[in-house]
Amino acid sequence: MELKRNHLIVGLLAAFTCVWTACKNDVANTGESILEIDDKVIVLADTFSFRSGIDSCDAIISQADSFLLGEIETDYGLLRASILTQLACPEGYEYPAGFTVDSVDSICLFMAYSSWVGDDRAPMAINAYKIDKKTFRYSGTYATDLNIDDYCTRNKSILTNRRIVVASEKMDSVSNSSGTYVPMVRMRVNDDFMRDFASIQKFESQEQFNELFNGLLIETSFGSSTVLNITDIALGVYYHFSYQKAGRDTTVSDMKAFYANSEVRTVNHLQYRDKKQWVEMLQNDSDTYNYIIAPAGVYTRMMFPMAQISEVIEQHMRIDSVWDKDLNQMQYVDKRPYVNKAQVRIPVENMTETNDRNDWLVPASYMLLIKENSMERFFKNHELPTDTCALLSELKQGTDSIGDTFYYYSYDLSDFLTNQLRHASTDSVLNMLLVPVTVQSSTTSSTTAITSVRQQQTISATKIRSAKNGLILELVYSGF
């Protein structure tokens, strides 16, 4: 591997204290006797080349705050997305006295969506089924390729009719508190499901409710041009009942809602058709471009030559011999290494490609550079980026010398590599993955702190320049 060096050596010497005596020999040896071994500081700059390539996994961990629903054909395969979700019960709630199954007028399934990708005028048919085999554990981890047949038989739809939806029509839209219309899909359930669900009339705990009602499977039965980004799911029970008040019959109408919220588990089932074939096609282009596709689990692996980096730095940490006054001889000194700067800039190549049906496949807003052997633990344990495991970059914008705009991700691995150098590894290559993520943060009056980093479950495609196509790792390091 080619190594280009540009050496900057800075030597700092201690202050001189000269003691004059009448003896000529003492004066001649003064320089050696006063030089301390640790006085010299080294600062160097090097550039290292590295390798990159495309990696693919079968599925990602489903931890999204919004969920995809629908089917769409892209250059990166046909994606089909379904939703399996529990519903949160109002713990401790009981329907009013006099309520019976016959008090229920209707039950409706609601879904709100914030956006969509694909053809906003193409129809899609939505159906829903009761999960009738087993349900999820709240503390469990579920992958996006779970087997739906393990949870649901799909024997009978719970809807009176499958719901035909055209994304841009927003037929059931409602106005929120700020006056903005929220696209909504409203579906009425059939009488059998209505009576079955209305028979659950006490809600002592979420665990008990999950045993009585496992949840819902929501999927599409036709349409391959649109995917909705679902943000909210709820089941609304509309009922009325009568009671005596002051000798007169009084009728009360009300609605009780059951939400798919953070108190329960919702899993996005994602399936890509012909994934192996199109991933192989992307890999054939790896010398020029690499790709990161969400939520397909297609990443780019960065392979940094740690053995070479360590060897070069170690060689330069051994300075020329100096006089050791305690040993009364010349001695080599090995400095303790610090990586002051380790910059990698990754240009994005598809930000302005908006001339075909895939113009909505934009680069990820956030990209995580993470040690490959730490990735599974990181997302399962809901960890946050650290200098020893994972580095986060937002998609950045710059302007070149002729005024053209370009986009890139940028990482400074200085603390990361310093830690790697201090903890020697037998691995000659450090494998790290570029993973698209969604980021949540909280802001106070003075700071903004990241609170959550999850694998991106919305659709994106990021095309980057490969390492062989001009990427380098720029290092500035020092020894004390």
Side-chain angles (χ1 to χ4, degrees):
M1 186 174 296
E2 182 183 357
L3 173 63
K4 300 178 181 178
R5 295 193 183 91
N6 174 25
H7 297 283
L8 295 172
I9 304 179
V10 178
L12 300 179
L13 300 177
F16 282 81
T17 305
C18 297
V19 179
W20 291 91
T21 66
C23 180
K24 181 177 180 181
N25 289 336
D26 287 345
V27 174
N29 293 326
T30 298
E32 290 182 354
S33 64
I34 64 173
L35 179 63
E36 297 293 338
I37 294 177
D38 292 334
D39 283 344
K40 190 173 184 180
V41 178
I42 301 172
V43 179
L44 297 169
D46 282 296
T47 59
F48 296 85
S49 59
F50 56 93
R51 294 180 293 131
S52 67
I54 293 174
D55 185 45
S56 176
C57 64
D58 293 332
I60 64 175
I61 297 172
S62 185
Q63 295 179 326
D65 297 312
S66 60
F67 300 89
L68 304 181
L69 178 66
E71 188 173 299
I72 193 163
E73 182 78 52
T74 77
D75 286 348
Y76 308 109
L78 184 143
L79 167 64
R80 186 174 187 186
S82 306
I83 300 171
L84 297 94
T85 184
Q86 297 173 330
L87 297 176
C89 74
E91 289 194 18
Y93 177 79
E94 292 187 29
Y95 288 113
F99 176 91
T100 68
V101 170
D102 294 330
S103 301
V104 177
D105 300 308
S106 66
I107 297 179
C108 291
L109 176 62
F110 296 92
M111 294 190 307
Y113 56 99
S114 60
S115 59
W116 60 85
V117 294
D119 188 347
D120 62 357
R121 296 181 297 275
M124 59 191 298
I126 298 176
N127 227 327
Y129 304 88
K130 182 179 177 181
I131 294 177
D132 54 4
K133 287 187 175 180
K134 63 179 180 179
T135 191
F136 304 114
R137 293 179 294 105
Y138 183 77
S139 59
T141 299
Y142 299 93
T144 53
D145 67 342
L146 85 173
N147 188 353
I148 291 179
D149 292 338
D150 291 340
Y151 294 85
C152 183
T153 61
R154 295 187 181 94
N155 282 337
K156 184 180 179 182
S157 171
I158 69 168
L159 304 181
T160 53
N161 294 291
R162 63 182 180 178
R163 177 71 160 79
I164 306 300
V165 175
V166 177
S168 60
E169 288 185 356
K170 309 178 186 179
M171 290 181 60
D172 300 311
S173 296
V174 295
S175 179
N176 62 20
S177 57
S178 62
T180 303
Y181 278 94
V182 178
M184 183 83 69
V185 180
R186 180 177 182 270
M187 299 163 282
R188 185 167 179 171
V189 307
N190 59 40
D191 290 343
D192 289 341
F193 178 80
M194 182 175 68
R195 296 184 68 85
D196 184 40
F197 192 82
S199 67
I200 307 173
Q201 298 185 21
K202 292 184 179 181
F203 309 99
E204 296 178 3
S205 69
Q206 185 66 51
E207 291 76 16
Q208 183 190 61
F209 179 72
N210 289 343
E211 293 176 1
L212 297 173
F213 179 73
N214 291 339
L216 295 173
L217 163 66
I218 305 169
E219 61 183 11
T220 56
S221 55
F222 81 75
S224 59
S225 301
T226 313
V227 168
L228 303 178
N229 186 22
I230 304 295
T231 56
D232 296 281
I233 300 172
L235 201 65
V237 179
Y238 296 85
Y239 63 91
H240 74 276
F241 63 96
S242 300
Y243 66 98
Q244 288 284 323
K245 182 178 181 180
R248 301 175 60 183
D249 288 337
T250 301
T251 300
V252 175
S253 299
D254 204 353
M255 188 273 286
K256 198 65 185 175
F258 298 78
Y259 297 97
N261 58 24
S262 60
E263 298 175 9
V264 295
R265 291 309 306 267
T266 301
V267 177
N268 216 167
H269 179 264
L270 305 174
Q271 183 179 25
Y272 276 89
R273 189 181 67 191
D274 302 327
K275 180 178 176 180
K276 181 179 179 181
Q277 287 82 352
W278 60 262
V279 169
E280 288 177 352
M281 291 178 61
L282 297 180
Q283 289 172 333
N284 292 334
D285 193 29
S286 287
D287 284 350
T288 307
Y289 298 109
N290 296 150
Y291 298 82
I292 305 104
I293 313 297
V298 174
Y299 312 123
T300 289
R301 178 185 286 111
M302 298 293 201
M303 293 162 274
F304 298 103
M306 279 307 302
Q308 183 190 21
I309 293 172
S310 179
E311 180 181 357
V312 168
I313 293 179
E314 182 178 340
Q315 289 175 353
H316 292 132
M317 289 301 100
R318 172 159 288 189
I319 65 173
D320 293 336
S321 58
V322 297
W323 180 260
D324 188 324
K325 63 182 180 180
D326 295 326
L327 297 177
N328 198 34
Q329 64 182 24
M330 302 301 291
Q331 187 79 3
Y332 284 102
V333 176
D334 290 330
K335 295 294 186 178
R336 184 173 174 82
Y338 294 84
V339 179
N340 307 101
K341 179 182 179 182
Q343 195 74 33
V344 176
R345 175 176 286 190
I346 303 172
V348 174
E349 301 293 327
N350 67 318
M351 192 65 189
T352 58
E353 294 180 4
T354 58
N355 55 357
D356 61 18
R357 63 192 174 93
N358 289 326
D359 59 3
W360 41 266
L361 283 169
V362 296
S365 297
Y366 291 93
M367 193 71 71
L368 192 72
L369 181 63
I370 183 170
K371 290 175 68 174
E372 186 171 4
N373 58 13
S374 301
M375 180 170 160
E376 182 176 0
R377 184 207 72 221
F378 182 92
F379 289 110
K380 278 188 175 181
N381 296 341
H382 312 288
E383 296 180 22
L384 297 177
T386 65
D387 290 336
T388 59
C389 174
L391 304 169
L392 183 66
S393 175
E394 190 173 1
L395 182 64
K396 299 178 181 180
Q397 176 180 327
T399 305
D400 62 20
S401 58
I402 61 175
D404 291 339
T405 300
F406 63 91
Y407 296 86
Y408 64 98
Y409 302 105
S410 181
Y411 302 93
D412 184 357
L413 286 76
S414 53
D415 290 339
F416 185 92
L417 291 180
T418 297
N419 182 73
Q420 291 291 118
L421 292 169
R422 301 282 174 78
H423 301 83
S425 171
T426 58
D427 297 331
S428 61
V429 175
L430 172 64
N431 290 320
M432 302 188 76
L433 296 177
L434 287 170
V435 180
V437 292
T438 56
V439 175
Q440 291 183 336
S441 59
S442 63
T443 303
T444 64
S445 58
S446 57
T447 60
T448 298
I450 295 174
T451 58
S452 172
V453 174
R454 299 178 178 180
Q455 287 174 281
Q456 182 179 323
Q457 216 157 294
T458 52
I459 298 176
S460 74
T462 308
K463 179 181 178 182
I464 63 173
R465 192 178 303 171
S466 74
K468 196 171 183 179
N469 193 15
L471 299 188
I472 57 172
L473 174 62
E474 300 176 342
L475 257 67
V476 176
Y477 54 96
S478 57
F480 294 87

